[in-house]
Amino acid sequence: MQTIGLIGGMSWESTALYYKLINERVRDRMGELHSAPLLLYSYDFEQIKQMQYAGRWAEAAASLTEVARRLESGGARAIVLCTNTMHKLAPDIISGVSVPFIHIGDATAQRIGAKGYRRVGLLGTKFTMEEDFYIDRLRAHDLDVLVPPTGARADVNRIIYEELCLGIVTDPSRRCYQDVMAALVAAGAECIILGCTEITMLVGPDDTSVETFDTTAIHAETAADFAIG
């Protein structure tokens, strides 16, 4: 199997899911006691959050790219960035390494396309929902992307940073997400992208009337399949 380099810690709550899901996929496909060869660098997420909110994206890009190079030097044959938001810096990382970069947006869009959906509702951090880097990646796969209105985006973002990244899961927040997803469906969304790697901790297929696409699971499965070859 090929070794996968994981850039995690954004937050560690979802990085732990990556580790579990990748190894479950390898076990299910290969059987016996097989598990995935992985290298993991885990960030102090508070530092990353401060860079995000201060707009210090160049500093963050330099840091993530250096980590990717270190993982490649350590033997990683592909890089997996265990977060949707920081894919804003994917072009910098890709240009800094010679091994493949497994893009979470591409993996998710391909899974959606295979199901025949075209109009998708997107939940994520404010950066993912409001900036072009992620939405344009989905549009490149011929997907029409709907996002919640301003107030709902603020609620979705707050719950991610103030609760889910701390491992806090509450019923009021689940109901909030259910309402946001219902509004997206009413606006024409044929499916919902859980476009932050922590959202799967809060809601899933039973929380909306349409199919959900869990980017954490999709990305982890894609990484495992690459490792197996």
Side-chain angles (χ1 to χ4, degrees):
M1 280 188 285
Q2 305 258 34
T3 299
I4 303 296
L6 304 175
I7 305 177
M10 297 172 280
S11 68
W12 71 262
E13 292 281 353
S14 61
T15 302
L17 293 177
Y18 268 88
Y19 185 82
K20 179 176 183 288
L21 292 167
I22 289 171
N23 281 298
E24 286 178 344
R25 178 77 161 190
V26 170
R27 178 200 63 198
D28 292 346
R29 285 197 56 192
M30 300 189 69
E32 298 180 334
L33 295 178
H34 285 291
S35 56
L38 301 171
L39 296 175
L40 168 64
Y41 183 92
S42 187
Y43 271 93
D44 174 0
F45 187 43
E46 178 61 31
Q47 296 178 358
I48 294 294
K49 179 192 173 185
Q50 290 177 8
M51 292 180 192
Q52 290 174 341
Y53 277 80
R56 290 154 44 202
W57 294 106
E59 182 181 347
S63 179
L64 266 65
T65 301
E66 176 57 26
V67 166
R69 290 194 187 106
R70 287 162 58 185
L71 290 171
E72 181 180 6
S73 296
R77 299 279 65 87
I79 301 297
V80 171
L81 181 58
C82 304
T83 160
N84 286 274
T85 299
M86 298 309 284
H87 274 69
K88 176 182 174 75
L89 307 177
D92 299 274
I93 299 171
I94 291 168
S95 67
V97 296
S98 60
V99 296
F101 178 89
I102 301 175
H103 198 291
I104 195 169
D106 291 340
T108 301
Q110 288 161 8
R111 190 73 65 90
I112 292 170
K115 289 293 189 77
Y117 299 122
R118 187 175 179 278
R119 202 167 201 208
V120 303
L122 174 63
L123 301 182
T125 67
K126 67 175 187 176
F127 306 103
T128 300
M129 293 186 290
E130 295 177 0
E131 298 187 21
D132 292 334
F133 71 92
Y134 198 88
I135 292 174
D136 282 351
R137 196 83 183 194
L138 298 175
R139 287 172 176 160
H141 291 266
D142 200 30
L143 296 179
D144 181 17
V145 183
L146 303 177
V147 297
T150 303
R153 292 199 302 269
D155 288 336
V156 170
N157 184 77
R158 175 187 57 78
I159 289 167
I160 291 169
Y161 280 97
E162 296 182 9
E163 298 180 17
L164 300 181
C165 287
L166 297 172
I168 299 170
V169 176
T170 69
D171 287 335
S173 292
R174 180 175 291 109
R175 288 192 291 272
C176 173
Y177 270 53
Q178 289 170 339
D179 290 344
V180 173
M181 290 189 291
L184 287 170
V185 172
E190 300 167 333
C191 62
I192 301 291
I193 297 175
L194 307 182
C196 174
T197 52
E198 285 81 23
I199 292 178
T200 185
M201 299 163 56
L202 183 64
V203 294
D206 295 334
D207 293 294
T208 181
S209 60
V210 298
E211 187 170 2
T212 57
F213 288 84
D214 175 5
T215 56
T216 310
I218 292 169
H219 204 202
E221 290 167 3
T222 304
D225 291 345
F226 182 95
I228 294 168

